[in-house]
Amino acid sequence: MLTLQALANWEAAVLASLNGATGTVEERDAQITRSGLYAEYPAIFGTYNEIARHADDPAAALEALKRAVFIAWYGFTEPPVQSGIAELPESAIRACLEELDRSIRAERADEELRWMLAWYHASFGYVFEHFGPVRELDDFIAKVPASEALAHREERDRFTGRGQLGVYWTAVLR
């Protein structure tokens, strides 16, 4: 199984290739499709899901879960030509959200995940409602305003090397 660092490097390579596409949105989409880049994220997502469910290290499992949840959410919020996430298997998204629900119920989720989820849910909660339900989500984020994420601006360096999740949060926290 790949490590979290190897997955972050894989994501960085995908994003670099994605950023290399030029032209109109349609031209870039065609270039990305021809290159096969859209096939990368289902594999990346699947590996994060595997680590989240089977890692012996609880910290690695939680980090993998954070990245998988982000990919599931981000794939619905941004166009594929920007995110590189064209289509994820519905069964994999459901498995990810089931693991999220289990982690919340088992109290393995941390404060970082809490404010991330509050942000995602407030920005575009469709993923959690359509593919869930994540039964514990509302209670888990109930007292956390989405703006809580912005209180962590000074900590944006901690997102370095965390794949597209890190790229996203570094940009949001600027």
Side-chain angles (χ1 to χ4, degrees):
M1 189 175 312
L2 293 174
T3 65
L4 291 172
Q5 185 58 52
L7 285 163
N9 293 341
W10 186 2
E11 286 192 81
V14 169
L15 292 174
S17 296
L18 191 67
N19 292 334
T22 59
T24 66
V25 170
E26 292 81 11
E27 292 167 340
R28 289 176 33 229
D29 183 61
Q31 291 169 33
I32 295 165
T33 300
R34 280 192 307 273
S35 73
L37 275 178
Y38 287 141
E40 300 290 327
Y41 261 99
I44 292 168
F45 181 66
T47 306
Y48 280 135
N49 275 338
E50 285 297 311
I51 294 170
R53 286 193 310 269
H54 302 295
D56 293 332
D57 176 8
L62 181 59
E63 178 64 17
L65 179 62
K66 289 175 185 179
R67 294 184 196 184
V69 168
F70 171 78
I71 290 168
W73 173 79
Y74 198 59
F76 279 89
T77 63
E78 296 298 330
V81 72
Q82 180 177 329
S83 68
I85 307 166
E87 191 171 322
L88 299 172
E90 186 173 317
S91 60
I93 295 171
R94 288 188 192 284
C96 173
L97 296 180
E98 287 169 4
E99 184 60 30
L100 174 62
D101 198 49
R102 276 192 295 277
S103 292
I104 293 170
R105 276 188 279 119
E107 298 182 358
R108 293 188 307 258
D110 63 8
E111 286 306 306
E112 181 182 71
L113 182 56
R114 185 185 310 269
W115 56 257
M116 286 176 167
L117 290 170
W119 179 273
Y120 303 154
H121 192 266
S123 299
F124 189 71
Y126 171 80
V127 174
F128 304 103
E129 296 155 14
H130 181 75
F131 294 101
V134 181
R135 289 172 178 72
E136 302 296 323
L137 181 63
D138 289 339
D139 288 341
F140 185 64
I141 64 172
K143 295 181 177 107
V144 180
S147 61
E148 171 67 19
L150 302 179
H152 298 274
R153 282 195 165 116
E154 300 303 317
E155 304 168 36
R156 66 181 167 264
D157 290 344
R158 75 180 184 189
F159 290 99
T160 302
R162 293 176 73 182
Q164 195 162 180
L165 172 141
V167 172
Y168 174 82
W169 280 106
T170 299
V172 166
L173 297 175
R174 281 194 188 201

